[in-house]
Amino acid sequence: MPKKIAFLADCLVTQKAGIHFYTHQFIKRAIEDYPQNQYFIILEKPYGQFEATEIIVPTNKSLPFHFRLRSFTSIPKAVNKLNPDVVIEMAHFGPFRLNPKIKRVTVIYDLTPILFPKWHNSMSYWIHKLFLPGIIKKSNKIICISKKTQTDLIKLYPHAENKTLVSYPFVNPKVFIETKKTIHPHAFFLSVGTIEPRKNYLTLVKAFEIFAATNENFDLIIIGYYGWKSNTLLNYIKASPYRDRIILKGYVSKSDLRHYYRQCMTFIYPTHYEGFGLPLLEAFHFNKPILASDIDICREVCQDAAIYFSKDQHQDLANKMQNITHDKVTQNRLAKATKTRLAYFTNLKLGLQEIFE
């Protein structure tokens, strides 16, 4: 029996980082894997990249907190009028005030606002603290993007255990097929992610300074938006004797990002905490050596396809940067392991039959 499925997907037009990419690939796979259903996407403004009906629910910018407010007013009104079988909130804030006959599904990426409030502003912390327990309680199903997120969720909300599902991100290998292009004139280490304290770039920069002191021909390139509390890192780099070799590119096009992945010598992921770590999955496509924080999620994603370092020890990272640069045997081993992990994630199905069938 075909279903009517509605996605609450403002993040497609309001974000450009991990949540945007997860949402895009999730909706695309759902439509491809379960074509018998009717699909609707509820957004703040048009997106236009799926074979689905878009329902535009604009914000009233004259009202305070207008964007969040519509989650309790105009969005529930639009959803209840549509009367779908299932509504899926793609960015964990909702759904709210729906007809009880409508099945509610919420996607949870990570729980950092509650687990690590120091990495978020107070507004984000209190919004999650106040609303997430009710969202979890009322959801019929909760999609977690990793086993790590699922474990964290169940620790905080044990009653949610029987309704959690894991659906990993997916990156289509076809998007990486294109002609080669030299995008940087020197050898370089690469890291990708929003510039904010949680990403732990200060440890990476300090490690690079140690490495750079004895290796003149390497640069460090960091790609990502300038996020919350990025000034500490920026000021540190400005004062660094190696500031000309530490390059912050900001946001780059998808095409250029692929060239940076392809050309880098090693990909480094120094993060303190992630729900998944999409850049790791992207780096797999280019068989590059990966140096990653020794944290649960990096080991879940990479397994033996990375060299791990203590996330708070820049000397440890510097040593491993030095070693990987000269160790061809380890480079080749990691390349083989990377292909295995890439094949695993490439061949994963969306699953979630209990939602879409």
Side-chain angles (χ1 to χ4, degrees), residues 90-113:
M90 293 303 306
H92 66 251
F93 191 71
F96 299 105
R97 301 183 63 201
L98 298 187
N99 184 321
K101 293 182 179 180
I102 299 173
K103 189 174 184 177
R104 303 180 182 207
V105 179
T106 299
V107 177
I108 301 293
Y109 296 87
D110 62 60
L111 296 161
T112 54

Short mmCIF file of all heavy atoms in Angstrom, two decimals, residues 90-113:
data_model
loop_
_atom_site.label_atom_id
_atom_site.label_comp_id
_atom_site.label_asym_id
_atom_site.label_seq_id
_atom_site.Cartn_x
_atom_site.Cartn_y
_atom_site.Cartn_z
N MET A 90 13.94 16.17 9.59
CA MET A 90 15.30 15.85 9.19
C MET A 90 16.37 16.54 10.05
O MET A 90 17.56 16.26 9.88
CB MET A 90 15.52 16.22 7.72
CG MET A 90 14.72 15.38 6.74
SD MET A 90 15.01 13.59 6.85
CE MET A 90 16.78 13.47 6.69
N ALA A 91 15.99 17.41 10.94
CA ALA A 91 17.00 18.11 11.73
C ALA A 91 16.61 18.20 13.20
O ALA A 91 16.78 19.24 13.84
CB ALA A 91 17.28 19.49 11.16
N HIS A 92 16.05 17.17 13.76
CA HIS A 92 15.81 16.88 15.18
C HIS A 92 14.92 17.86 15.94
O HIS A 92 14.54 17.56 17.07
CB HIS A 92 17.15 16.72 15.93
CG HIS A 92 18.00 17.94 16.02
ND1 HIS A 92 19.18 18.07 15.32
CD2 HIS A 92 17.86 19.08 16.73
CE1 HIS A 92 19.71 19.24 15.60
NE2 HIS A 92 18.93 19.87 16.45
N PHE A 93 14.55 18.99 15.37
CA PHE A 93 13.69 19.94 16.10
C PHE A 93 12.24 19.77 15.66
O PHE A 93 11.72 20.51 14.86
CB PHE A 93 14.16 21.38 15.89
CG PHE A 93 13.49 22.36 16.83
CD1 PHE A 93 13.81 22.36 18.18
CD2 PHE A 93 12.55 23.26 16.38
CE1 PHE A 93 13.18 23.25 19.06
CE2 PHE A 93 11.92 24.15 17.24
CZ PHE A 93 12.24 24.14 18.58
N GLY A 94 11.59 18.75 16.19
CA GLY A 94 10.21 18.47 15.84
C GLY A 94 10.02 17.01 15.49
O GLY A 94 10.90 16.20 15.74
N PRO A 95 8.86 16.69 14.90
CA PRO A 95 7.75 17.57 14.56
C PRO A 95 6.87 17.88 15.79
O PRO A 95 6.86 17.14 16.76
CB PRO A 95 6.98 16.77 13.52
CG PRO A 95 7.27 15.34 13.86
CD PRO A 95 8.66 15.31 14.41
N PHE A 96 6.12 18.97 15.67
CA PHE A 96 5.27 19.41 16.76
C PHE A 96 3.81 19.53 16.30
O PHE A 96 3.53 19.77 15.13
CB PHE A 96 5.72 20.79 17.27
CG PHE A 96 7.12 20.82 17.81
CD1 PHE A 96 8.15 21.39 17.07
CD2 PHE A 96 7.42 20.28 19.05
CE1 PHE A 96 9.44 21.44 17.57
CE2 PHE A 96 8.71 20.31 19.56
CZ PHE A 96 9.72 20.89 18.82
N ARG A 97 2.91 19.37 17.26
CA ARG A 97 1.47 19.67 17.13
C ARG A 97 0.83 19.00 15.91
O ARG A 97 0.11 19.62 15.15
CB ARG A 97 1.26 21.18 17.07
CG ARG A 97 1.79 21.91 18.31
CD ARG A 97 1.50 23.39 18.22
NE ARG A 97 0.04 23.61 18.21
CZ ARG A 97 -0.54 24.72 17.75
NH1 ARG A 97 0.21 25.69 17.23
NH2 ARG A 97 -1.85 24.85 17.79
N LEU A 98 1.10 17.72 15.75
CA LEU A 98 0.52 16.99 14.62
C LEU A 98 -0.68 16.17 15.06
O LEU A 98 -0.81 15.77 16.22
CB LEU A 98 1.56 16.06 13.99
CG LEU A 98 2.81 16.70 13.41
CD1 LEU A 98 3.64 15.64 12.69
CD2 LEU A 98 2.47 17.84 12.46
N ASN A 99 -1.54 15.89 14.10
CA ASN A 99 -2.62 14.94 14.31
C ASN A 99 -2.02 13.63 14.83
O ASN A 99 -1.07 13.11 14.24
CB ASN A 99 -3.32 14.70 12.96
CG ASN A 99 -4.53 13.80 13.09
OD1 ASN A 99 -4.53 12.83 13.83
ND2 ASN A 99 -5.56 14.11 12.32
N PRO A 100 -2.51 13.08 15.92
CA PRO A 100 -1.91 11.87 16.51
C PRO A 100 -1.92 10.66 15.59
O PRO A 100 -1.17 9.70 15.83
CB PRO A 100 -2.75 11.63 17.77
CG PRO A 100 -3.98 12.43 17.60
CD PRO A 100 -3.63 13.59 16.73
N LYS A 101 -2.72 10.69 14.53
CA LYS A 101 -2.74 9.57 13.58
C LYS A 101 -1.54 9.58 12.65
O LYS A 101 -1.24 8.58 11.99
CB LYS A 101 -4.04 9.61 12.76
CG LYS A 101 -5.29 9.34 13.58
CD LYS A 101 -6.53 9.34 12.70
CE LYS A 101 -7.78 9.06 13.50
NZ LYS A 101 -9.01 9.06 12.63
N ILE A 102 -0.83 10.71 12.57
CA ILE A 102 0.34 10.81 11.70
C ILE A 102 1.55 10.24 12.42
O ILE A 102 1.86 10.62 13.54
CB ILE A 102 0.60 12.28 11.31
CG1 ILE A 102 -0.60 12.85 10.55
CG2 ILE A 102 1.87 12.39 10.46
CD1 ILE A 102 -0.50 14.34 10.28
N LYS A 103 2.25 9.33 11.77
CA LYS A 103 3.45 8.72 12.35
C LYS A 103 4.59 9.72 12.34
O LYS A 103 4.89 10.32 11.30
CB LYS A 103 3.82 7.46 11.55
CG LYS A 103 4.92 6.63 12.17
CD LYS A 103 5.11 5.33 11.38
CE LYS A 103 6.13 4.43 12.04
NZ LYS A 103 6.27 3.15 11.31
N ARG A 104 5.25 9.88 13.48
CA ARG A 104 6.33 10.87 13.61
C ARG A 104 7.69 10.18 13.62
O ARG A 104 7.90 9.22 14.37
CB ARG A 104 6.18 11.65 14.92
CG ARG A 104 4.87 12.38 15.09
CD ARG A 104 4.87 13.10 16.41
NE ARG A 104 3.61 13.79 16.66
CZ ARG A 104 3.48 14.87 17.41
NH1 ARG A 104 4.54 15.39 17.99
NH2 ARG A 104 2.31 15.43 17.60
N VAL A 105 8.60 10.71 12.82
CA VAL A 105 9.98 10.21 12.78
C VAL A 105 10.91 11.41 12.92
O VAL A 105 10.71 12.43 12.27
CB VAL A 105 10.27 9.46 11.47
CG1 VAL A 105 11.72 8.96 11.45
CG2 VAL A 105 9.29 8.30 11.27
N THR A 106 11.93 11.27 13.75
CA THR A 106 12.90 12.34 13.96
C THR A 106 14.31 11.81 13.70
O THR A 106 14.65 10.71 14.13
CB THR A 106 12.82 12.87 15.41
OG1 THR A 106 11.51 13.40 15.64
CG2 THR A 106 13.86 13.95 15.65
N VAL A 107 15.11 12.60 12.99
CA VAL A 107 16.50 12.25 12.73
C VAL A 107 17.39 12.96 13.76
O VAL A 107 17.31 14.18 13.91
CB VAL A 107 16.94 12.64 11.31
CG1 VAL A 107 18.42 12.32 11.09
CG2 VAL A 107 16.08 11.92 10.27
N ILE A 108 18.24 12.20 14.45
CA ILE A 108 19.17 12.75 15.43
C ILE A 108 20.59 12.56 14.92
O ILE A 108 21.02 11.45 14.61
CB ILE A 108 19.02 12.06 16.80
CG1 ILE A 108 17.59 12.20 17.33
CG2 ILE A 108 20.02 12.62 17.80
CD1 ILE A 108 17.17 13.60 17.69
N TYR A 109 21.33 13.66 14.83
CA TYR A 109 22.71 13.62 14.33
C TYR A 109 23.71 13.42 15.46
O TYR A 109 24.60 12.59 15.38
CB TYR A 109 23.02 14.91 13.56
CG TYR A 109 22.16 15.04 12.33
CD1 TYR A 109 20.90 15.64 12.39
CD2 TYR A 109 22.60 14.54 11.11
CE1 TYR A 109 20.09 15.73 11.28
CE2 TYR A 109 21.80 14.64 9.98
CZ TYR A 109 20.54 15.23 10.07
OH TYR A 109 19.75 15.31 8.95
N ASP A 110 23.59 14.21 16.48
CA ASP A 110 24.42 14.06 17.68
C ASP A 110 23.72 14.78 18.82
O ASP A 110 22.71 15.45 18.62
CB ASP A 110 25.84 14.59 17.46
CG ASP A 110 25.89 16.08 17.17
OD1 ASP A 110 25.44 16.87 18.03
OD2 ASP A 110 26.37 16.46 16.09
N LEU A 111 24.29 14.62 20.01
CA LEU A 111 23.69 15.21 21.20
C LEU A 111 24.64 16.19 21.87
O LEU A 111 24.61 16.39 23.08
CB LEU A 111 23.28 14.10 22.17
CG LEU A 111 22.18 13.18 21.62
CD1 LEU A 111 22.15 11.87 22.37
CD2 LEU A 111 20.83 13.85 21.65
N THR A 112 25.50 16.82 21.07
CA THR A 112 26.51 17.72 21.64
C THR A 112 25.92 18.89 22.41
O THR A 112 26.52 19.31 23.42
CB THR A 112 27.47 18.24 20.56
OG1 THR A 112 26.73 18.84 19.50
CG2 THR A 112 28.32 17.11 20.02
N PRO A 113 24.78 19.48 22.01
CA PRO A 113 24.27 20.61 22.81
C PRO A 113 24.00 20.24 24.26
O PRO A 113 24.12 21.08 25.16
CB PRO A 113 22.98 21.00 22.09
CG PRO A 113 23.19 20.55 20.68
CD PRO A 113 23.96 19.26 20.80
#
